Amino acid sequence: MSDKQDYDLIIIGAGSGGVRLARMSAAKGARVAVVESRYLGGTCVNVGCVPKKLFVYGAHAGEDIEDAGGYGWNVPGDQVTFDWTRLVANKNAEIERLNGIYARMLENAGVTVIQGTASLADANTVVVGDQTFTSKYITIATGSWPVVPDVPGKECVLTSNEMFYLPQLPKQAVIWGGGYIAVEFAGILAGLGVETTLLYRGELFLRGFDDDVREFTAAEMRKKGINLRFGVNIESIETDNAHYAVNLTDGSRLNTGLVMAATGRRALVDGLGLEELGVQLSASGHVVVDDCFQTAVPSITALGDVIGTPQLTPVALAQGMVLSRRLFGDGKGEMDYNSIPTAVFCQPNIGTVGLTEAEARETGHKLRIYRSEFKPMKHTLSGRDERSLMKLVVDDESDRVLGAHMVGPDAGEITQGIAVAIKAGATKAQFDSTIGIHPTSAEEFVTMREPVA
Ligand code: NDP
């Protein structure tokens, strides 16, 4: 490899995709540096998947304590208290531990970590503060950042970034949006005892998910006391910094202790100087790349949230592996964006893989739909009024299972295994011939016999 330049590869952004690309490329003998302005591990480790899941566990623990009553435990409600500061402190300690692991992983791989904010001086030169580094290749892996819609009072709105470090929990909260983050945080806050209202501009939240899943999740969330208000948006917010008055498009007004926007994330490309070099940005602001993560500038590639592919850590990790092979390996490998399994960690969880019923119908194929709704065994004794949903979308002619959808405890865990079957092209007959694991909820996926449509 050329040693005319300081590095073979400089990656801007030490998130999931950037770190994976760095390690894989260094292992192939490349001289690699990663520039990072914030924290090692990116959104996922610091203000995303990991702390979110810890908060979800925290919120769910409250339900577990309540459910224990039916199993013979005496849990006097007035003796159970919750300490938000302890949860945040413990979460912070875990994130610091993970930051350390990331630092050591990079160091052990021989990757140089450069702290600071990067910009590109030319197609092979990265500037960080008063330092300049040259590299044969440069990869943009800068990720994404929350967007708050432009309404009067938007300055007082929090995003997921701040929610992870909230000094204290309010009594009431308004969550703005109807995607992954909104639904997950509604579950977290409500589970921790906050009176929670979720506002969504459309008719039904979780656009893009299977309609049955959307309706079922809404019903379960309402049962848990979350106030879901659809078909309404925020017009303006007034605050004295302790209380918030939220004016809605239907003319009503909500008083609350906190407003959190979970209204999407934009590509983080500020100050990089990409367009000046000829790197194209799409109308949505994402870096435009081809199937090989190549931008319009031959030495510059990009991956992860910044290119607008599904904003999911495992997608960025897979992209990092493919790009490393392309730059420093056998040049083979490509991304397959079909049937990406995903979970929403609301309560109960959503797990989904493959086509929704609506997407499958658009293909014009005749379908068979299998659907089962039931009370999970745990809640026979707990007495909790929570139900689970499972659904299979099957192509009638080929018998292939096109999509699997679940709402219920551990849906994410269960869907990962189902995803392997779907990826392998499993038929409904193969699901049927698979012996169930009894007694589990998951066995329902192999015991649904009668189509409902
Ligand atoms: P999403 O794109 O999932 O959802 C954004 C929500 O905000 C939508 O409901 C959207 O409505 C609404 N919205 C957008 N603009 C406005 C506006 N101007 N006024 C009112 N509402 C608006 O974004 P998130 O921020 O929830 O999450 C970002 C991404 O992060 C996700 O797409 C996902 O890929 C990833 N993620 C994954 C998680 C996981 O794997 N468990 C967890 C958290 C995030 P509409 O539907 O009408 O467009």
Side-chain angles (χ1 to χ4, degrees), residues 149 176 178-181 184 200-201 207 233 262-264 311-312 343:
W176 187 11
Y180 279 82
I181 298 179
E184 290 181 342
Y200 174 55
R201 64 182 174 180
R207 187 163 59 82
N233 214 347
T263 41
Q311 298 184 344
L312 300 168

Side-chain angles (χ1 to χ4, degrees), residues 12 120 138-142 268-269 272 274 287 300-303 306:
I12 306 179
L120 303 192
I138 296 170
T139 299
I140 311 300
T142 41
L268 202 48
V269 292
L272 285 170
L274 292 177
V287 177
I300 303 178
T301 53
L303 55 67
V306 81

Side-chain angles (χ1 to χ4, degrees), residues 114-156:
I114 302 166
Q115 288 238 312
T117 303
S119 62
L120 303 192
D122 63 43
N124 297 94
T125 309
V126 174
V127 178
V128 183
D130 53 10
Q131 293 177 288
T132 297
F133 305 94
T134 57
S135 181
K136 185 174 180 199
Y137 300 115
I138 296 170
T139 299
I140 311 300
T142 41
S144 62
W145 199 250
V147 178
V148 180
D150 193 13
V151 298
K154 69 178 231 184
E155 310 72 36
C156 68

Side-chain angles (χ1 to χ4, degrees), residues 63 116 151 257 288 291 311:
E63 284 196 355
V151 298
V288 176
D291 289 348
Q311 298 184 344

